[in-house]
Amino acid sequence: QVQLVESGGGLVQAGGSLRLSCAASGRTFTNFGMSWFRQAPGKERVFVAGITSSDTTRYSDSVKGRFTISRDNAKNTVYLQMNGLNPEDTAVYYCAAAGAVYGNWNLYPYRGQGTQVTVSS
């Protein structure tokens, strides 16, 4: 079993930055693909970014060039650095772990509870 706990969400003005963290515990972190998803009010949960166990990264088109995913295996933590935030980035952000990086939330057996990010205009 893997437990995931997100942190770092909050309220930020448009153009600002936030860094989200996802701390993992329970099983060998290094073996997992780690991803971030987000869900805006009234919309489906969508893939944002992922990083494989070999540090290959993948991003959605909407965040490419603004967001950076990284991982620190010594701390069992994955990060999402978000720059150039805009109101369309407002959502609950979720961390998820699986054997690989998938764009489908339903393929992740381990999921966090989410952290709210609100971007004001």
Side-chain angles (χ1 to χ4, degrees), residues 10 12 18 21 30-31 41 43 46-47 54-55 63 67 69-70 85 94 97 102-103 108 110 113 115-116:
V12 64
L18 281 175
S21 299
T30 56
N31 294 339
K43 297 188 177 180
V46 297
F47 176 84
S54 58
D55 288 343
V63 307
F67 291 11
I69 189 170
S70 61
L85 287 161
Y94 298 89
Y102 305 108
Y108 289 81
Y110 307 111
Q113 295 300 304
T115 185
Q116 176 71 47

